[in-house]
Short mmCIF file of all heavy atoms in Angstrom, two decimals:
data_model
loop_
_atom_site.label_atom_id
_atom_site.label_comp_id
_atom_site.label_asym_id
_atom_site.label_seq_id
_atom_site.Cartn_x
_atom_site.Cartn_y
_atom_site.Cartn_z
N MET W 22 7.21 7.03 24.63
CA MET W 22 8.35 7.28 23.59
C MET W 22 7.63 7.71 22.22
O MET W 22 6.66 7.12 21.72
CB MET W 22 8.99 5.85 23.29
CG MET W 22 10.11 5.96 22.30
SD MET W 22 11.06 4.47 22.24
CE MET W 22 10.95 4.04 20.60
N VAL W 23 8.28 8.77 21.64
CA VAL W 23 7.77 9.32 20.41
C VAL W 23 8.56 8.78 19.28
O VAL W 23 9.82 8.71 19.36
CB VAL W 23 7.86 10.95 20.47
CG1 VAL W 23 7.52 11.44 19.13
CG2 VAL W 23 7.05 11.49 21.52
N THR W 24 7.74 8.30 18.21
CA THR W 24 8.54 7.66 17.08
C THR W 24 8.85 8.75 16.09
O THR W 24 7.93 9.54 15.76
CB THR W 24 7.68 6.55 16.56
OG1 THR W 24 7.36 5.56 17.41
CG2 THR W 24 8.35 5.95 15.31
N GLN W 25 10.04 8.77 15.62
CA GLN W 25 10.35 9.73 14.63
C GLN W 25 10.19 9.18 13.35
O GLN W 25 10.07 7.98 13.02
CB GLN W 25 11.90 10.11 14.80
CG GLN W 25 12.27 10.74 16.06
CD GLN W 25 11.58 12.00 16.34
OE1 GLN W 25 11.42 12.93 15.50
NE2 GLN W 25 10.95 12.07 17.55
N PRO W 26 9.87 9.92 12.30
CA PRO W 26 9.64 9.45 10.87
C PRO W 26 10.68 8.35 10.41
O PRO W 26 10.41 7.47 9.76
CB PRO W 26 9.61 10.65 9.95
CG PRO W 26 9.06 11.82 10.89
CD PRO W 26 9.78 11.52 12.24
N ALA W 27 11.91 8.68 10.65
CA ALA W 27 13.00 7.66 10.21
C ALA W 27 12.99 6.35 10.98
O ALA W 27 13.42 5.38 10.40
CB ALA W 27 14.35 8.41 10.51
N ASP W 28 12.32 6.35 12.00
CA ASP W 28 12.14 5.10 12.87
C ASP W 28 10.81 4.49 12.56
O ASP W 28 10.57 3.34 13.22
CB ASP W 28 12.36 5.39 14.32
CG ASP W 28 13.74 5.96 14.70
OD1 ASP W 28 14.63 5.54 13.97
OD2 ASP W 28 13.71 6.86 15.58
N ALA W 29 9.93 5.08 11.89
CA ALA W 29 8.64 4.53 11.84
C ALA W 29 8.44 3.38 10.83
O ALA W 29 7.32 2.79 10.77
CB ALA W 29 7.59 5.73 11.42
N VAL W 30 9.47 3.05 10.12
CA VAL W 30 9.38 1.93 9.05
C VAL W 30 10.44 1.04 9.52
O VAL W 30 11.62 1.37 9.52
CB VAL W 30 9.67 2.45 7.60
CG1 VAL W 30 9.63 1.31 6.73
CG2 VAL W 30 8.61 3.42 7.31
N GLU W 31 10.14 -0.31 9.79
CA GLU W 31 11.15 -1.21 10.21
C GLU W 31 12.00 -1.69 9.13
O GLU W 31 13.06 -2.22 9.48
CB GLU W 31 10.32 -2.35 10.94
CG GLU W 31 9.69 -1.96 12.28
CD GLU W 31 8.97 -2.96 12.85
OE1 GLU W 31 9.11 -4.13 12.52
OE2 GLU W 31 8.16 -2.65 13.86
N GLN W 32 11.61 -1.71 7.96
CA GLN W 32 12.35 -2.31 6.77
C GLN W 32 12.03 -1.53 5.70
O GLN W 32 10.84 -1.09 5.30
CB GLN W 32 12.00 -3.75 6.52
CG GLN W 32 12.83 -4.32 5.44
CD GLN W 32 12.61 -5.85 5.26
OE1 GLN W 32 11.98 -6.45 6.08
NE2 GLN W 32 13.21 -6.37 4.20
N THR W 33 12.97 -1.04 4.80
CA THR W 33 12.81 -0.42 3.58
C THR W 33 12.97 -1.32 2.27
O THR W 33 14.06 -1.98 2.24
CB THR W 33 13.53 0.94 3.52
OG1 THR W 33 14.89 0.60 3.59
CG2 THR W 33 13.23 1.73 4.77
N SER W 34 12.21 -1.10 1.37
CA SER W 34 12.28 -1.80 0.04
C SER W 34 11.45 -1.18 -0.92
O SER W 34 10.53 -0.42 -0.61
CB SER W 34 11.68 -3.29 0.12
OG SER W 34 12.48 -4.02 1.14
N TYR W 35 11.81 -1.36 -2.22
CA TYR W 35 10.93 -0.67 -3.26
C TYR W 35 10.23 -1.92 -3.83
O TYR W 35 10.89 -2.89 -4.32
CB TYR W 35 11.65 -0.04 -4.35
CG TYR W 35 11.00 0.46 -5.48
CD1 TYR W 35 10.21 1.65 -5.44
CD2 TYR W 35 10.71 -0.31 -6.70
CE1 TYR W 35 9.41 2.05 -6.55
CE2 TYR W 35 10.06 0.03 -7.76
CZ TYR W 35 9.45 1.28 -7.60
OH TYR W 35 8.64 1.79 -8.63
N LEU W 36 8.93 -1.81 -4.02
CA LEU W 36 8.11 -2.82 -4.50
C LEU W 36 7.17 -2.31 -5.66
O LEU W 36 6.56 -1.22 -5.50
CB LEU W 36 7.27 -3.46 -3.52
CG LEU W 36 7.82 -4.21 -2.37
CD1 LEU W 36 6.76 -4.45 -1.23
CD2 LEU W 36 8.56 -5.43 -2.72
N ARG W 37 7.03 -2.91 -6.67
CA ARG W 37 6.15 -2.55 -7.77
C ARG W 37 5.19 -3.62 -7.90
O ARG W 37 5.46 -4.70 -8.15
CB ARG W 37 6.82 -2.34 -9.03
CG ARG W 37 5.86 -1.83 -10.17
CD ARG W 37 6.59 -1.43 -11.47
NE ARG W 37 5.62 -0.81 -12.36
CZ ARG W 37 4.99 -1.56 -13.37
NH1 ARG W 37 5.26 -2.73 -13.51
NH2 ARG W 37 4.21 -0.91 -14.14
N ILE W 38 3.95 -3.34 -7.59
CA ILE W 38 2.87 -4.34 -7.45
C ILE W 38 1.83 -4.15 -8.57
O ILE W 38 1.32 -3.05 -8.70
CB ILE W 38 2.10 -4.35 -6.10
CG1 ILE W 38 3.10 -4.42 -4.89
CG2 ILE W 38 0.97 -5.43 -6.07
CD1 ILE W 38 2.81 -3.94 -3.68
N THR W 39 1.68 -5.09 -9.48
CA THR W 39 0.68 -5.04 -10.55
C THR W 39 -0.61 -5.71 -10.10
O THR W 39 -0.71 -6.49 -9.22
CB THR W 39 1.20 -5.70 -11.81
OG1 THR W 39 1.32 -7.18 -11.56
CG2 THR W 39 2.49 -5.06 -12.23
N ARG W 40 -1.67 -5.52 -10.93
CA ARG W 40 -3.00 -6.10 -10.54
C ARG W 40 -2.98 -7.66 -10.72
O ARG W 40 -3.87 -8.32 -10.13
CB ARG W 40 -4.01 -5.51 -11.65
CG ARG W 40 -3.85 -5.94 -12.99
CD ARG W 40 -4.64 -5.30 -13.94
NE ARG W 40 -6.13 -5.42 -13.70
CZ ARG W 40 -6.95 -4.73 -14.25
NH1 ARG W 40 -6.75 -3.87 -15.25
NH2 ARG W 40 -8.29 -4.91 -13.95
N GLU W 41 -1.91 -8.27 -11.36
CA GLU W 41 -1.97 -9.75 -11.44
C GLU W 41 -1.45 -10.29 -10.25
O GLU W 41 -1.48 -11.60 -10.02
CB GLU W 41 -1.10 -10.12 -12.65
CG GLU W 41 -1.71 -9.64 -13.98
CD GLU W 41 -1.43 -8.28 -14.36
OE1 GLU W 41 -0.64 -7.57 -13.74
OE2 GLU W 41 -2.18 -7.86 -15.36
N ALA W 42 -0.85 -9.65 -9.26
CA ALA W 42 -0.33 -10.10 -8.03
C ALA W 42 -1.44 -10.86 -7.20
O ALA W 42 -2.57 -10.58 -7.38
CB ALA W 42 0.29 -8.94 -7.18
N GLU W 43 -0.94 -11.79 -6.42
CA GLU W 43 -1.92 -12.52 -5.57
C GLU W 43 -2.05 -11.58 -4.33
O GLU W 43 -1.23 -11.44 -3.49
CB GLU W 43 -1.46 -13.85 -5.20
CG GLU W 43 -2.33 -14.64 -4.38
CD GLU W 43 -1.47 -16.02 -4.11
OE1 GLU W 43 -0.85 -16.69 -4.99
OE2 GLU W 43 -1.95 -16.49 -2.87
N PHE W 44 -3.17 -10.96 -4.13
CA PHE W 44 -3.56 -10.06 -2.98
C PHE W 44 -4.28 -10.98 -1.98
O PHE W 44 -5.28 -11.51 -2.15
CB PHE W 44 -4.44 -8.95 -3.32
CG PHE W 44 -3.83 -7.94 -4.23
CD1 PHE W 44 -3.56 -8.12 -5.57
CD2 PHE W 44 -3.49 -6.67 -3.63
CE1 PHE W 44 -2.98 -7.12 -6.35
CE2 PHE W 44 -2.89 -5.67 -4.39
CZ PHE W 44 -2.68 -5.87 -5.74
N ARG W 45 -3.82 -10.93 -0.67
CA ARG W 45 -4.33 -11.46 0.43
C ARG W 45 -4.40 -10.44 1.57
O ARG W 45 -3.40 -9.90 1.74
CB ARG W 45 -3.78 -12.85 0.99
CG ARG W 45 -4.04 -13.95 -0.12
CD ARG W 45 -3.80 -15.24 0.59
NE ARG W 45 -3.85 -16.29 -0.36
CZ ARG W 45 -3.15 -17.39 -0.48
NH1 ARG W 45 -2.15 -17.48 0.30
NH2 ARG W 45 -3.47 -18.28 -1.45
N GLU W 46 -5.50 -10.43 2.37
CA GLU W 46 -5.58 -9.47 3.44
C GLU W 46 -6.08 -10.13 4.56
O GLU W 46 -6.79 -11.13 4.59
CB GLU W 46 -6.49 -8.32 3.07
CG GLU W 46 -7.90 -8.73 2.83
CD GLU W 46 -8.84 -7.41 2.60
OE1 GLU W 46 -8.41 -6.30 2.76
OE2 GLU W 46 -9.87 -7.62 2.17
N SER W 47 -5.71 -9.54 5.86
CA SER W 47 -6.12 -9.97 7.15
C SER W 47 -5.88 -8.92 8.16
O SER W 47 -5.20 -7.90 7.88
CB SER W 47 -5.42 -11.29 7.42
OG SER W 47 -4.13 -11.08 7.67
N VAL W 48 -6.44 -9.21 9.28
CA VAL W 48 -6.11 -8.26 10.48
C VAL W 48 -5.45 -9.09 11.38
O VAL W 48 -5.86 -10.13 11.95
CB VAL W 48 -7.47 -7.76 11.08
CG1 VAL W 48 -7.22 -6.79 12.27
CG2 VAL W 48 -8.24 -6.81 10.06
N THR W 49 -4.19 -8.71 11.93
CA THR W 49 -3.34 -9.37 12.79
C THR W 49 -3.93 -9.23 14.40
O THR W 49 -4.91 -8.42 14.53
CB THR W 49 -1.92 -8.86 12.86
OG1 THR W 49 -2.01 -7.49 13.38
CG2 THR W 49 -1.43 -8.85 11.35
N ALA W 50 -3.45 -10.15 15.07
CA ALA W 50 -3.80 -10.12 16.51
C ALA W 50 -3.57 -8.68 17.20
O ALA W 50 -4.37 -8.30 18.18
CB ALA W 50 -3.14 -11.15 17.41
N ASP W 51 -2.60 -8.00 16.64
CA ASP W 51 -2.27 -6.70 17.08
C ASP W 51 -3.10 -5.60 16.51
O ASP W 51 -2.96 -4.43 16.93
CB ASP W 51 -0.86 -6.35 16.77
CG ASP W 51 0.21 -7.18 17.55
OD1 ASP W 51 -0.23 -7.81 18.48
OD2 ASP W 51 1.26 -7.41 16.93
N GLY W 52 -4.04 -5.98 15.62
CA GLY W 52 -4.90 -5.00 15.05
C GLY W 52 -4.42 -4.32 13.85
O GLY W 52 -4.95 -3.36 13.40
N ASP W 53 -3.19 -4.77 13.31
CA ASP W 53 -2.67 -4.29 12.14
C ASP W 53 -3.33 -4.80 10.82
O ASP W 53 -3.89 -6.00 10.91
CB ASP W 53 -1.07 -4.69 11.92
CG ASP W 53 -0.26 -3.96 12.99
OD1 ASP W 53 -0.83 -2.93 13.66
OD2 ASP W 53 0.86 -4.42 13.25
N TYR W 54 -3.49 -4.04 9.89
CA TYR W 54 -4.00 -4.58 8.48
C TYR W 54 -2.96 -5.16 7.63
O TYR W 54 -2.11 -4.32 7.30
CB TYR W 54 -4.65 -3.40 7.83
CG TYR W 54 -5.31 -3.72 6.56
CD1 TYR W 54 -6.32 -4.64 6.47
CD2 TYR W 54 -4.98 -3.13 5.47
CE1 TYR W 54 -6.96 -4.94 5.16
CE2 TYR W 54 -5.53 -3.36 4.11
CZ TYR W 54 -6.47 -4.31 4.14
OH TYR W 54 -7.01 -4.70 2.81
N GLU W 55 -2.98 -6.35 7.57
CA GLU W 55 -1.80 -7.01 6.73
C GLU W 55 -2.29 -7.41 5.32
O GLU W 55 -3.31 -7.93 5.13
CB GLU W 55 -1.57 -8.34 7.51
CG GLU W 55 -0.27 -9.13 7.08
CD GLU W 55 0.13 -10.11 7.98
OE1 GLU W 55 0.91 -9.97 8.88
OE2 GLU W 55 -0.37 -11.35 7.67
N VAL W 56 -1.53 -6.97 4.40
CA VAL W 56 -1.68 -7.36 3.06
C VAL W 56 -0.53 -8.16 2.45
O VAL W 56 0.60 -7.54 2.64
CB VAL W 56 -1.90 -6.04 2.11
CG1 VAL W 56 -2.23 -6.41 0.72
CG2 VAL W 56 -3.05 -5.30 2.70
N SER W 57 -0.71 -9.24 1.90
CA SER W 57 0.28 -10.09 1.40
C SER W 57 0.10 -10.10 -0.10
O SER W 57 -1.02 -10.15 -0.74
CB SER W 57 0.24 -11.47 1.88
OG SER W 57 0.57 -11.47 3.28
N PHE W 58 1.22 -10.16 -0.81
CA PHE W 58 1.23 -10.38 -2.24
C PHE W 58 2.12 -11.52 -2.63
O PHE W 58 3.35 -11.54 -2.78
CB PHE W 58 2.08 -9.02 -2.87
CG PHE W 58 1.45 -7.80 -2.45
CD1 PHE W 58 2.01 -7.03 -1.30
CD2 PHE W 58 0.26 -7.30 -3.00
CE1 PHE W 58 1.37 -5.88 -0.87
CE2 PHE W 58 -0.31 -6.04 -2.48
CZ PHE W 58 0.19 -5.44 -1.43
N GLY W 59 1.33 -12.69 -2.66
CA GLY W 59 1.94 -14.02 -2.81
C GLY W 59 3.13 -14.22 -1.80
O GLY W 59 2.92 -13.90 -0.62
N THR W 60 4.24 -14.57 -2.15
CA THR W 60 5.30 -14.90 -1.28
C THR W 60 6.34 -13.71 -1.41
O THR W 60 7.42 -13.76 -0.68
CB THR W 60 6.02 -16.26 -1.53
OG1 THR W 60 6.49 -16.30 -2.84
CG2 THR W 60 5.18 -17.36 -1.25
N ALA W 61 6.09 -12.78 -2.22
CA ALA W 61 6.96 -11.72 -2.51
C ALA W 61 7.21 -10.61 -1.42
O ALA W 61 8.17 -10.26 -1.00
CB ALA W 61 6.59 -11.01 -3.75
N ALA W 62 5.98 -10.27 -0.82
CA ALA W 62 5.95 -9.34 0.30
C ALA W 62 4.79 -9.38 1.04
O ALA W 62 3.67 -9.85 0.64
CB ALA W 62 6.09 -7.85 -0.37
N THR W 63 4.86 -8.79 2.32
CA THR W 63 3.69 -8.64 3.20
C THR W 63 3.87 -7.25 3.79
O THR W 63 4.98 -6.88 4.43
CB THR W 63 3.63 -9.62 4.34
OG1 THR W 63 3.57 -10.93 3.67
CG2 THR W 63 2.51 -9.43 5.23
N VAL W 64 2.80 -6.46 3.72
CA VAL W 64 2.89 -5.14 4.34
C VAL W 64 1.90 -5.14 5.43
O VAL W 64 0.70 -5.56 5.38
CB VAL W 64 2.27 -4.05 3.23
CG1 VAL W 64 2.38 -2.67 3.89
CG2 VAL W 64 3.35 -4.02 1.97
N ALA W 65 2.26 -4.61 6.64
CA ALA W 65 1.27 -4.52 7.76
C ALA W 65 1.35 -3.30 8.43
O ALA W 65 1.90 -3.10 9.59
CB ALA W 65 1.82 -5.77 8.87
N PRO W 66 0.58 -2.26 7.84
CA PRO W 66 0.49 -0.97 8.54
C PRO W 66 -0.42 -1.03 9.74
O PRO W 66 -1.36 -1.83 9.88
CB PRO W 66 -0.11 -0.17 7.36
CG PRO W 66 -0.84 -1.03 6.54
CD PRO W 66 -0.06 -2.38 6.62
N THR W 67 -0.01 -0.21 10.75
CA THR W 67 -0.86 0.05 11.88
C THR W 67 -2.29 0.53 11.40
O THR W 67 -2.32 1.12 10.28
CB THR W 67 -0.36 0.93 12.87
OG1 THR W 67 -0.12 2.24 12.21
CG2 THR W 67 1.11 0.50 13.30
N PRO W 68 -3.31 0.60 12.24
CA PRO W 68 -4.50 1.25 11.92
C PRO W 68 -4.41 2.49 11.26
O PRO W 68 -5.00 3.01 10.30
CB PRO W 68 -5.39 0.98 12.99
CG PRO W 68 -4.85 -0.14 13.86
CD PRO W 68 -3.41 -0.09 13.55
N ASP W 69 -3.60 3.47 12.04
CA ASP W 69 -3.46 4.82 11.60
C ASP W 69 -2.73 4.88 10.25
O ASP W 69 -3.11 5.65 9.37
CB ASP W 69 -2.74 5.62 12.61
CG ASP W 69 -3.54 5.93 13.84
OD1 ASP W 69 -4.80 5.72 13.80
OD2 ASP W 69 -2.97 6.31 14.88
N ALA W 70 -1.79 4.09 10.06
CA ALA W 70 -1.00 4.00 8.77
C ALA W 70 -1.81 3.59 7.68
O ALA W 70 -1.80 4.05 6.56
CB ALA W 70 0.25 3.31 8.92
N ALA W 71 -2.71 2.51 7.90
CA ALA W 71 -3.42 2.03 6.82
C ALA W 71 -4.66 3.05 6.51
O ALA W 71 -4.79 3.29 5.12
CB ALA W 71 -4.30 0.88 7.39
N GLU W 72 -5.16 3.88 7.28
CA GLU W 72 -6.01 4.88 7.10
C GLU W 72 -5.38 6.01 6.13
O GLU W 72 -5.95 6.47 5.14
CB GLU W 72 -6.63 5.51 8.32
CG GLU W 72 -7.72 6.57 7.99
CD GLU W 72 -8.32 6.98 9.33
OE1 GLU W 72 -8.03 6.61 10.46
OE2 GLU W 72 -9.25 7.88 9.16
N LYS W 73 -4.16 6.34 6.57
CA LYS W 73 -3.44 7.36 5.83
C LYS W 73 -3.02 6.88 4.41
O LYS W 73 -3.24 7.62 3.51
CB LYS W 73 -2.06 7.64 6.56
CG LYS W 73 -1.43 8.90 5.97
CD LYS W 73 -0.16 9.18 6.84
CE LYS W 73 0.62 10.49 6.28
NZ LYS W 73 1.75 10.89 7.19
N LEU W 74 -2.74 5.66 4.25
CA LEU W 74 -2.34 5.14 2.98
C LEU W 74 -3.56 5.05 2.08
O LEU W 74 -3.57 5.38 0.85
CB LEU W 74 -1.80 3.71 3.15
CG LEU W 74 -1.33 3.03 1.80
CD1 LEU W 74 -0.29 3.80 1.07
CD2 LEU W 74 -0.73 1.69 2.20
N TYR W 75 -4.67 4.58 2.71
CA TYR W 75 -6.05 4.59 1.96
C TYR W 75 -6.35 6.02 1.45
O TYR W 75 -6.86 6.22 0.36
CB TYR W 75 -7.10 4.06 2.86
CG TYR W 75 -8.48 4.18 2.37
CD1 TYR W 75 -8.98 3.26 1.58
CD2 TYR W 75 -9.31 5.14 2.75
CE1 TYR W 75 -10.28 3.34 1.00
CE2 TYR W 75 -10.71 5.34 2.30
CZ TYR W 75 -11.11 4.35 1.36
OH TYR W 75 -12.29 4.57 0.90
N TRP W 76 -6.26 7.00 2.30
CA TRP W 76 -6.65 8.44 1.91
C TRP W 76 -5.70 8.90 0.82
O TRP W 76 -6.04 9.47 -0.15
CB TRP W 76 -6.45 9.30 3.18
CG TRP W 76 -6.80 10.69 2.90
CD1 TRP W 76 -7.94 11.27 2.67
CD2 TRP W 76 -5.70 11.68 2.63
NE1 TRP W 76 -7.76 12.57 2.50
CE2 TRP W 76 -6.34 12.92 2.31
CE3 TRP W 76 -4.25 11.74 2.66
CZ2 TRP W 76 -5.69 14.07 2.08
CZ3 TRP W 76 -3.70 12.94 2.37
CH2 TRP W 76 -4.35 14.08 2.11
N MET W 77 -4.36 8.58 0.99
CA MET W 77 -3.34 9.14 0.02
C MET W 77 -3.60 8.49 -1.38
O MET W 77 -3.59 9.10 -2.32
CB MET W 77 -1.95 8.85 0.55
CG MET W 77 -1.55 9.71 1.68
SD MET W 77 0.07 9.18 2.40
CE MET W 77 1.16 9.52 0.99
N SER W 78 -3.75 7.15 -1.33
CA SER W 78 -3.94 6.41 -2.77
C SER W 78 -5.23 6.76 -3.26
O SER W 78 -5.34 6.93 -4.48
CB SER W 78 -3.74 4.93 -2.44
OG SER W 78 -4.72 4.33 -1.64
N GLY W 79 -6.31 6.84 -2.48
CA GLY W 79 -7.60 7.31 -3.05
C GLY W 79 -7.55 8.60 -3.78
O GLY W 79 -8.27 8.84 -4.79
N LYS W 80 -6.79 9.49 -3.20
CA LYS W 80 -6.72 10.81 -3.74
C LYS W 80 -5.84 10.78 -5.07
O LYS W 80 -6.05 11.66 -5.94
CB LYS W 80 -5.87 11.70 -2.61
CG LYS W 80 -5.82 13.26 -3.08
CD LYS W 80 -5.25 13.87 -1.74
CE LYS W 80 -4.73 15.27 -2.30
NZ LYS W 80 -4.07 16.03 -1.17
N ARG W 81 -5.00 9.82 -5.29
CA ARG W 81 -4.12 9.82 -6.40
C ARG W 81 -4.75 8.84 -7.53
O ARG W 81 -4.07 9.03 -8.68
CB ARG W 81 -2.85 9.22 -6.03
CG ARG W 81 -1.97 10.28 -5.18
CD ARG W 81 -1.53 11.32 -5.86
NE ARG W 81 -0.63 12.29 -5.05
CZ ARG W 81 -0.19 13.32 -5.35
NH1 ARG W 81 -0.38 13.94 -6.61
NH2 ARG W 81 0.58 14.04 -4.57
N VAL W 82 -5.68 8.08 -7.31
CA VAL W 82 -6.01 7.18 -8.34
C VAL W 82 -6.46 7.76 -9.66
O VAL W 82 -6.09 7.26 -10.69
CB VAL W 82 -7.26 6.16 -7.75
CG1 VAL W 82 -7.95 5.58 -8.75
CG2 VAL W 82 -6.66 5.19 -6.72
N PRO W 83 -7.29 8.77 -9.63
CA PRO W 83 -7.60 9.40 -10.92
C PRO W 83 -6.41 9.82 -11.76
O PRO W 83 -6.29 9.62 -13.03
CB PRO W 83 -8.47 10.61 -10.61
CG PRO W 83 -9.04 10.33 -9.27
CD PRO W 83 -7.98 9.54 -8.55
N ALA W 84 -5.39 10.41 -11.19
CA ALA W 84 -4.20 10.87 -11.79
C ALA W 84 -3.45 9.67 -12.31
O ALA W 84 -2.79 9.64 -13.28
CB ALA W 84 -3.27 11.78 -10.97
N LEU W 85 -3.44 8.58 -11.52
CA LEU W 85 -2.65 7.38 -11.86
C LEU W 85 -3.34 6.58 -13.07
O LEU W 85 -2.54 5.97 -13.78
CB LEU W 85 -2.57 6.37 -10.72
CG LEU W 85 -1.64 6.84 -9.45
CD1 LEU W 85 -1.96 5.89 -8.28
CD2 LEU W 85 -0.29 6.84 -9.87
N ARG W 86 -4.55 6.69 -13.26
CA ARG W 86 -5.29 5.97 -14.28
C ARG W 86 -5.01 6.71 -15.69
O ARG W 86 -4.97 6.01 -16.69
CB ARG W 86 -6.78 5.98 -13.95
CG ARG W 86 -7.15 5.03 -12.94
CD ARG W 86 -8.61 4.91 -12.83
NE ARG W 86 -8.94 3.79 -11.73
CZ ARG W 86 -9.92 3.72 -11.16
NH1 ARG W 86 -10.76 4.65 -11.25
NH2 ARG W 86 -10.15 2.87 -10.19
N ARG W 87 -4.77 7.96 -15.66
CA ARG W 87 -4.62 8.72 -16.97
C ARG W 87 -3.51 8.16 -17.83
O ARG W 87 -3.63 7.86 -18.96
CB ARG W 87 -4.41 10.20 -16.68
CG ARG W 87 -5.75 10.83 -16.59
CD ARG W 87 -5.68 12.31 -16.48
NE ARG W 87 -6.30 12.83 -15.23
CZ ARG W 87 -5.85 13.43 -14.23
NH1 ARG W 87 -4.60 13.72 -14.11
NH2 ARG W 87 -6.49 13.67 -13.19
N PRO W 88 -2.22 7.96 -17.32
CA PRO W 88 -1.18 7.41 -18.00
C PRO W 88 -1.43 5.89 -18.40
O PRO W 88 -1.15 5.53 -19.56
CB PRO W 88 0.06 7.39 -17.10
CG PRO W 88 -0.27 8.44 -16.11
CD PRO W 88 -1.77 8.44 -16.00
N ALA W 89 -2.13 5.18 -17.58
CA ALA W 89 -2.42 3.75 -17.94
C ALA W 89 -3.23 3.68 -19.10
O ALA W 89 -3.35 2.85 -20.01
CB ALA W 89 -2.99 3.05 -16.68
N GLU W 90 -4.46 4.56 -19.05
CA GLU W 90 -5.40 4.64 -20.11
C GLU W 90 -4.77 5.19 -21.47
O GLU W 90 -5.08 4.60 -22.48
CB GLU W 90 -6.58 5.53 -19.74
CG GLU W 90 -7.47 4.91 -18.65
CD GLU W 90 -8.40 5.82 -18.03
OE1 GLU W 90 -8.54 7.00 -18.40
OE2 GLU W 90 -9.17 5.39 -17.21
N ALA W 91 -3.84 6.02 -21.27
CA ALA W 91 -3.21 6.57 -22.62
C ALA W 91 -2.25 5.51 -23.30
O ALA W 91 -2.21 5.34 -24.40
CB ALA W 91 -2.28 7.63 -22.19
N LYS W 92 -1.74 4.53 -22.46
CA LYS W 92 -0.90 3.46 -22.97
C LYS W 92 -1.80 2.51 -23.80
O LYS W 92 -1.38 1.96 -24.68
CB LYS W 92 -0.17 2.68 -21.80
CG LYS W 92 1.01 3.35 -21.34
CD LYS W 92 1.60 2.53 -20.23
CE LYS W 92 2.92 3.26 -19.71
NZ LYS W 92 3.58 2.45 -18.65
N ARG W 93 -3.00 2.27 -23.29
CA ARG W 93 -3.90 1.41 -23.94
C ARG W 93 -4.48 1.87 -25.26
O ARG W 93 -4.91 1.11 -26.07
CB ARG W 93 -5.14 0.99 -22.94
CG ARG W 93 -4.75 0.19 -21.86
CD ARG W 93 -5.95 -0.20 -21.01
NE ARG W 93 -5.60 -0.12 -19.67
CZ ARG W 93 -6.34 0.20 -18.70
NH1 ARG W 93 -7.42 0.47 -18.88
NH2 ARG W 93 -5.89 0.29 -17.49
N SER W 94 -4.54 3.18 -25.41
CA SER W 94 -5.04 3.76 -26.74
C SER W 94 -4.11 3.64 -27.91
O SER W 94 -3.07 3.48 -27.78
CB SER W 94 -5.25 5.24 -26.43
OG SER W 94 -6.14 5.51 -25.42
#
């Protein structure tokens, strides 16, 4: 069975996570990389999705830091 993009996320929500959040990580028995933010949310991407998220966020970090650094000035 081929999963379509619309079916690839089991639940949708908007979360804004700050550095003060309580981050916890683990690998599930299914091999998913699970990240929990206190009791507010848990994200469990599959290995391929975790790798894609890592690549995407790593590529954007420099651009994301510029506005944050400008606010501090």
Side-chain angles (χ1 to χ4, degrees):
M22 181 172 125
V23 176
T24 303
Q25 300 300 315
D28 301 324
V30 177
E31 293 180 11
Q32 182 176 349
T33 60
S34 298
Y35 176 83
L36 301 171
R37 183 169 187 266
I38 302 163
T39 65
R40 68 188 304 167
E41 292 83 11
E43 180 183 331
F44 289 76
R45 289 201 180 136
E46 64 177 348
S47 63
V48 176
T49 67
D51 295 333
D53 296 342
Y54 177 63
E55 189 173 272
V56 182
S57 296
F58 308 97
T60 58
T63 299
V64 179
T67 62
D69 289 343
E72 184 175 3
K73 185 174 184 177
L74 183 60
Y75 172 79
W76 177 81
M77 289 173 63
S78 62
K80 186 176 169 182
R81 296 282 184 185
V82 167
L85 292 169
R86 286 190 176 148
R87 279 185 229 120
E90 289 170 356
K92 282 183 180 179
R93 289 185 220 148
S94 299

